[in-house]
Every structure is written in C-alpha cells, then in structure tokens.
Amino acid sequence: MTAAHRMALQYVLLFGASGVSLPFAGLWFRAQDLSGAQIGVLLAAPMLGRIATGPLLAVWADGFRARRTPIALLGLAMALGYGGAGLVDGFWAWAACWFVGATAAAALIPLTDVLTLKLAARDGFNFSLPRGCGSAAFVAANIGMGAWLLTASVDVVILWITVAALVGAVVAALVLPPEPVVEGARVPGLERFRGLGRLLADPVFMTAIFAVGAVQAAHAFQYGFSAILWKTQGITEAVTGQLWAFGVVVEIALMWLFEPWRRRAGIGPWSLLVVGSIAAVVRWTAMAFAPPLWLLWPLQALHALTFAATFLAGVQIVERLSPPDSHTAAQTLSSVLSAGVLIGLATAASGPLYDRFGAGGYAAMAVMALAGLLAALPLRRRLES
C-alpha cells in the first residue's frame, strides 16, 4: 500500500465521521429538547476553545518522534468524547463530552494535512487525491446516514462517529507511514512556542489566514442549522443527506479534475481565494431567502468554491508564507482561526440568529464572507509573485 493510499484511508475515516457530525449533530441535540441557542453554544464551545487548545496541541504533537503517534492518540480522544456524549445526560455533561470529541476531531485535520503534504512532496503524488477520497467518504456518510435516519433512532449519529474515530485511531497507529516530525534532533518545546509567536507577529500571514478563515467560518449557519431548517420546510432527512452529498461531489470534482489543471495553468492561490469568497457572498445571500428545493441544488454546488477552493488556497498560502520548520504550527494556526475562533463566534451567533430570524440568519454569513474577500484583495502581490 503506497503512502497516498494510506493517507486516503485515514481521510476516509476522518471525514466519514464528520460527514455525519456536521449535518446531523444539530438534529441529535434537538432530539434532546435543546433550543437553537443551546445547540449553538454546545457546537461553538470547542471551536472557541481552539484559541488555547489549537496551539497547545500543535506544540504537543511536534514533540513526538513520528507524526502518526499524536494522530492515533487524538483519534482515541475523539472516540471517548463523542461516545461519552451518548452515555451521559444533561446540558453540561453533553457540553464537556462534545468539547473533548470535537476538539480532538478538529486537531486531527491539520495534523493529517501536514503529514499528507510532506509525503506528497517526497513521493510525488497530488495532495488533493487522498483529500478527495475523504470528501467522497463525506458524501457516502451524508447519504447513508440520511437514509438510515428515516427508520432509525437519531442516536445512531453518535454511534457512527464513535466507531469511525476508534477505527481511525487504530489505522493511524498501525497503517500510516512512520514519517518523523523532524529530521535529526527534536526541537525543544520552548522554541516551538517561539515559532508560533513569530507567525502571530507576521501581519501578512495573519491577514491571509483571516481572509481564508472568514470565508470558511461563514459556513457556520449551514453546518449547525441547515438540517433543522430544511426539515421545517418539509425536506426529509434523506434529501438533506443528498443535498449535502451533492455539494461535496462537486467539491471532489474540483479537487480531482480542476485542481491539477489549475496547477499546470499557473493559477495562484490568491485567485482561488477570491473566487471562493465571491461565491460565498452569493451563496449565503441567496440562502437567506429560504429558497425552494429546486434552487438548493445549484446553491449546494457552490460548495466546491466556497469550501474546497478556499481550503486549497489556504493550504497553499500557509505553506508559502511560513518557514519549513513551522508548517505544523502554521497550518494549526490557520485551522484555529478558521475552524476555531471565527467559526466558533459564528456558530455561537447562529443559534440566536436561527431562533429569531430562521433562514434570514444566513445574511450574517454573507457579511462574514464579504469581510474575507476584502481582506484578501490587498494580498495579491505577495501571494501571486
């Protein structure tokens, strides 16, 4: 099994779990009689907590000899957290368990991306190929869980996520390549923290990851409340899964077909980020009007630009603007901002926005995407050179 195949398997398990947690976690919490505001707080807490947990986990992960070791340990923590949520009762118990599970799940993404980027550079495969396999698993999980929920209890959401996390931990420990964190002696912990400080003090780097993060965080309302909103419109869980899956199918097409062509054509990450930002403004503005089912399909197709194009731009921008010995820290900082601070604030706000405005809450996401676009515009010279 090649390194690309091993990383593809890891992405399949990771996104097979998130393909259930993202669309359907809100439904599970709703079934526990929680309000929109309470759901928003539960979902946002681990995101906001990444201000502290993200850098700490990045420095912790770089202290191991092999990159796969912290990935395996975080997979186990993810299983314990999400599995615990299904065994306890009460708001604060759910909040504690969800915090552990979601924190571990979020930390796994940049660690897996960094390992894949290193192996892709060494072995000559395209990063988007194993990442696209993860997206395919996300699609299968969307459709499979949506169909399963037509006849099964919503508790299968928790069961699915927990099992996927456990298997992912085993695969990470036994199957992933034993790529070293650094060649030679390990960097002391204090120096790794100094590397984070240098990145935080770089205005170009911080502006770039804010631009990427704002566009990514604008998905918060969709992640937390699309399934609930569509159910009130009479759209079944099965169709909800299909809508999510359709968006990711188009995302896979962009990663596997368009991305290699873009690289050959020399189209830079700045252009990719700007196109994704504009698509996000259009998408969330339209969603604020609670469009009918026939219009949801083309709007979901824009996910290829609002998420995938922005994500690929972000990975390349971070790699370009950070020194080689700080790639893990840089990718984690980017993830902390986009999948932590910004999306945490947006998710926390989404609950009250849903309670008060329903689908109109998407308008706030359009404003956030516009902020990302405005931040990206002045970066053209640095990123396209």
Side-chain angles (χ1 to χ4, degrees):
M1 185 182 291
T2 67
H5 292 145
R6 294 169 191 242
M7 296 314 303
L9 177 59
Q10 185 65 23
Y11 277 120
V12 163
L13 293 165
L14 181 57
F15 288 102
S18 64
V20 170
S21 64
L22 278 178
F24 300 113
L27 283 180
W28 186 80
F29 283 125
R30 195 68 165 176
Q32 316 310 312
D33 295 323
L34 297 182
S35 68
Q38 289 175 313
I39 294 171
V41 169
L42 279 170
L43 297 178
M47 299 172 185
L48 292 172
R50 297 204 70 207
I51 299 171
T53 61
L56 288 173
L57 287 173
V59 171
W60 168 79
D62 278 348
F64 289 90
R65 294 188 181 278
R67 293 188 181 276
R68 69 184 183 183
T69 305
I71 294 175
L73 292 173
L74 285 168
L76 180 60
M78 177 181 167
L80 291 173
Y82 284 135
L87 298 174
V88 301
D89 191 32
F91 178 84
W92 293 110
W94 289 323
C97 290
W98 202 263
F99 186 92
V100 172
T103 296
L108 280 166
I109 296 173
L111 294 184
T112 306
D113 287 343
V114 168
L115 177 55
T116 308
L117 285 166
K118 296 289 184 184
L119 294 169
R122 187 192 72 190
D123 296 351
F125 64 86
N126 194 323
F127 167 81
S128 63
L129 291 177
R131 192 57 156 73
C133 290
S135 298
F138 191 96
V139 171
N142 293 161
I143 296 174
M145 183 55 66
W148 199 3
L149 285 173
L150 290 177
T151 56
S153 163
V154 74
D155 289 332
V156 297
V157 168
I158 298 298
L159 178 63
W160 180 294
I161 301 169
T162 303
V163 171
L166 277 174
V167 177
V170 173
V171 167
L174 302 179
V175 177
L176 293 190
E179 186 75 6
V181 172
V182 292
E183 298 293 342
R186 286 177 288 175
V187 180
L190 182 59
E191 183 56 33
R192 296 199 299 273
F193 273 110
R194 289 192 182 117
L196 281 171
R198 287 190 289 270
L199 291 169
L200 288 167
D202 183 343
V204 175
F205 177 81
M206 293 305 296
T207 301
I209 66 171
F210 170 79
V212 173
V215 180
Q216 292 285 2
H219 292 79
F221 197 87
Q222 172 85 348
Y223 291 162
F225 295 95
S226 61
I228 300 172
L229 277 166
W230 291 340
K231 190 169 185 177
T232 64
Q233 290 180 241
I235 296 173
T236 67
E237 290 89 344
V239 176
T240 292
Q242 292 162 15
L243 282 166
W244 273 75
F246 177 67
V248 183
V249 166
V250 184
E251 170 193 325
I252 295 169
L254 183 139
M255 286 188 172
W256 286 355
L257 303 177
F258 172 78
E259 177 63 7
W261 172 85
R262 181 195 68 79
R263 286 179 175 271
R264 292 194 300 270
I267 300 172
W270 180 85
S271 300
L272 207 58
L273 175 57
V274 168
V275 169
S277 304
I278 294 171
V281 174
V282 172
R283 183 184 184 188
W284 307 131
T285 300
M287 291 292 285
F289 293 94
L293 179 59
W294 68 266
L295 188 54
L296 289 176
W297 295 101
L299 289 174
Q300 284 296 96
L302 288 178
H303 192 72
L305 299 177
T306 64
F307 175 79
T310 307
F311 166 78
L312 291 172
V315 168
Q316 294 162 36
I317 287 168
V318 168
E319 191 174 24
R320 180 174 298 188
L321 294 180
S322 62
D325 61 352
S326 295
H327 280 169
T328 298
Q331 294 291 356
T332 300
L333 274 179
S334 178
S335 182
V336 164
L337 194 63
S338 61
V341 179
L342 292 177
I343 201 169
L345 293 172
T347 302
S350 293
L353 285 170
Y354 166 76
D355 286 339
R356 182 167 183 181
F357 301 108
Y362 277 110
M365 304 299 107
V367 172
M368 179 173 280
L370 178 61
L373 173 62
L374 294 176
L377 292 177
L379 299 173
R380 180 175 185 178
R381 180 176 298 177
R382 179 69 181 271
L383 296 177
E384 295 288 86
S385 60

